[in-house]
């Protein structure tokens, strides 16, 4: 049997099914939820496992439970498809080689950072399991958006999965630029690879092909009505005028709708014209006209398309862009062209509290994609500060979880109920996470792991503003120090 452990303790463990185990012992070498361990049975067989929960007593003893990944073979590798019942054994800390094999043998290639539980082991995720929805959560200052940037870089390096990023704070608009702070060995080559990826950044008021625009007349009828705040039963005449506008006159650019309605000389057309003018919709900078629309850019499937949703003049423009893009992806779902839909600060688009017609339309489309989009290759990654800020019908469809620092007991309890695969003992450690540290659990992780996220290869766009320092002066002389 190869050497697989370090550090002998007096902790004893037992398993009835070869999958779960319980343990108890002294505090010679206390364990924490998330620690990787090996179980050594009385028959000499070793198993790689992980501690889920720990309970300490004032008397100096500990007990807890965990999961067994599989027996360790003569080659030092864990057979994660095997399970063997054993009556009792000794619990020890797993060495780095065993834990590293657990991640490497699973085919995990997305390098997210260092495992907090085992020195010298890189935490890696499974790229193939991003064909499930992912929920990414952490309070302000936790490093949530920075860590998300690390993941997007890894996906761009190791997969051909296109992505569209809804970016409200310009955090990802510099993904084509090398991060000069990162001089780690090997990172320069990866930065060069990223610089060669097809990354399109579309901005409000951007010139030419870099502008973030959509076409009003390409939007679904229900979506156009939401833009105009039209109810088909309450504003029947105006809605009907809009319904038949394109049918009667052919495709009309947004800038021509008002003059066209004016030429109609009908009460309903006049009322619809007044509505458009009152809402100042023609003044919005998002209409494509002769320029390329964001939906047309996405049809080309660049490696990444970043939609910079900040900086619009009118507060509902970002919702119209999101609705147009999501509607278009849904309308073309039968083509089954995979794409990762990344929504940072997702509460801006799918909060359960938004009640305007546009908020409702965007939220309902995201709910539909969450419930039915997976089989068509429409995969969501939603990032936000609190789970309560996202409609529960969306969170419940997510199979992957990333949790950064989160202090709220109510939020942690909600995550525990929703994501049963995340050990509660590891969730409970979240308030003590340092900046940039997070729990990765679910289908994309070979094992639930607390990770200290690695530096970004590319520049971060939305860096925090520092507090300005005041120059120190000598109180006696008035001179600078």
């Amino acid at each position: 049997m190869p050497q697989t452990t370090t550090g002998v303790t007096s902790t004893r463990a037992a398993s009835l099914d070869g999958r779960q185990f319980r343990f108890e012992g002294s505090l010679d070498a206390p364990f924490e939820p998330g620690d990787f361990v090996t179980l050594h049975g009385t028959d000499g067989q070793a198993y790689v496992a992980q501690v889920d929960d720990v309970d300490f007593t004032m008397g100096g003893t500990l007990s807890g439970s965990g999961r067994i990944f599989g027996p360790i073979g003569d080659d030092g590798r864990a057979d994660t498809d095997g399970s063997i019942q054993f009556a009792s054994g000794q619990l020890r800390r797993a060495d780095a080689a065993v834990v590293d094999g657990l991640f490497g043998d699973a085919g995990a290639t997305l390098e997210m950072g260092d495992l907090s539980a085992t020195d010298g082991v890189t935490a890696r995720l499974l790229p193939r399991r991003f064909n499930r929805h992912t929920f990414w959560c952490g309070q302000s200052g936790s490093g949530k958006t920075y860590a998300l940037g690390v993941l997007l870089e890894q996906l761009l390096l190791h997969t051909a999965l296109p992505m569209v990023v809804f970016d409200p704070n310009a955090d990802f608009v510099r993904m084509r630029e090398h991060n000069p702070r990162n001089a780690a060995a090997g990172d320069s080559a990866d930065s060069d690879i990223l610089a060669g990826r097809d990354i399109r950044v579309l901005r409000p008021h951007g010139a030419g092909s870099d502008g973030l625009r959509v076409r009003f007349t390409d939007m679904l009828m229900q979506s156009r009505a939401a833009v105009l705040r039209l109810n088909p039963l309450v504003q029947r005449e105006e809605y009907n005028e809009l319904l038949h506008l394109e049918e009667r006159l052919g495709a009309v650019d947004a800038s021509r709708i008002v003059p066209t309605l004016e030429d109609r000389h009908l009460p309903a057309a006049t009322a619809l014209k007044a509505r458009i003018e009152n809402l100042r919709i023609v003044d919005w900078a998002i209409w494509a006209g002769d320029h390329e629309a964001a939906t047309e850019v996405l049809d080309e499937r660049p490696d990444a398309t970043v939609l910079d949703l900040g900086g619009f003049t009118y507060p509902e423009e970002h919702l119209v862009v999101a609705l147009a893009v999501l509607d278009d992806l849904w309308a073309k779902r039968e083509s089954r062209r995979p794409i990762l839909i990344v929504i940072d600060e997702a509460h801006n688009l799918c909060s359960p509290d938004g009640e305007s017609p546009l908020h409702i339309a965007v939220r309902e489309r995201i709910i539909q994609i969450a419930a039915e989009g997976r089989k068509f290759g429409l995969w969501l990654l939603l990032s936000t500060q609190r789970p309560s800020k996202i409609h529960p019908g969306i969170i419940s469809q997510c199979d992957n979880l990333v949790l950064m620092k989160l202090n709220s007991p109510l939020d942690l309890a909600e995550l525990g109920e929703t994501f049963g695969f995340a050990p509660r003992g590891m969730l409970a450690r979240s308030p003590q996470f340092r900046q940039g540290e997070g729990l990765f659990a679910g289908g994309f992780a070979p094992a639930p792991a607390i990770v200290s996220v690695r530096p970004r290869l590319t520049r971060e766009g939305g860096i925090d503003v520092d507090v300005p320092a005041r120059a120190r002066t000598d109180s006696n002389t008035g001179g600078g120090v």
Side-chain angles (χ1 to χ4, degrees), residues 105 181 234 253 292 325 369:
D105 292 346
R181 299 179 182 177
V234 177
D253 184 73
E292 191 175 31
V325 169
I369 291 174

Side-chain angles (χ1 to χ4, degrees), residues 110-111 148-161 163 172-179 182 186-201 302-304 306 454-460:
L110 308 180
E111 298 183 357
L148 177 56
V150 172
L151 173 66
L152 299 187
E153 291 171 351
Q154 290 295 307
L155 287 169
L156 285 168
L157 283 171
H158 297 287
T159 78
L161 174 62
M163 63 182 75
F172 306 103
V173 298
R174 306 184 73 178
M175 287 183 63
R176 293 176 295 199
E177 302 176 32
H178 173 66
N179 181 3
N182 192 5
D187 286 345
S188 178
D190 285 342
S191 296
D192 291 341
I193 293 173
L194 288 172
R197 294 289 189 251
D198 183 10
I199 300 174
R200 296 283 304 274
V201 179
D303 295 312
V306 180
R454 58 168 292 165
R456 279 186 60 166
L457 298 168
T458 59
R459 285 183 181 270
E460 183 182 11

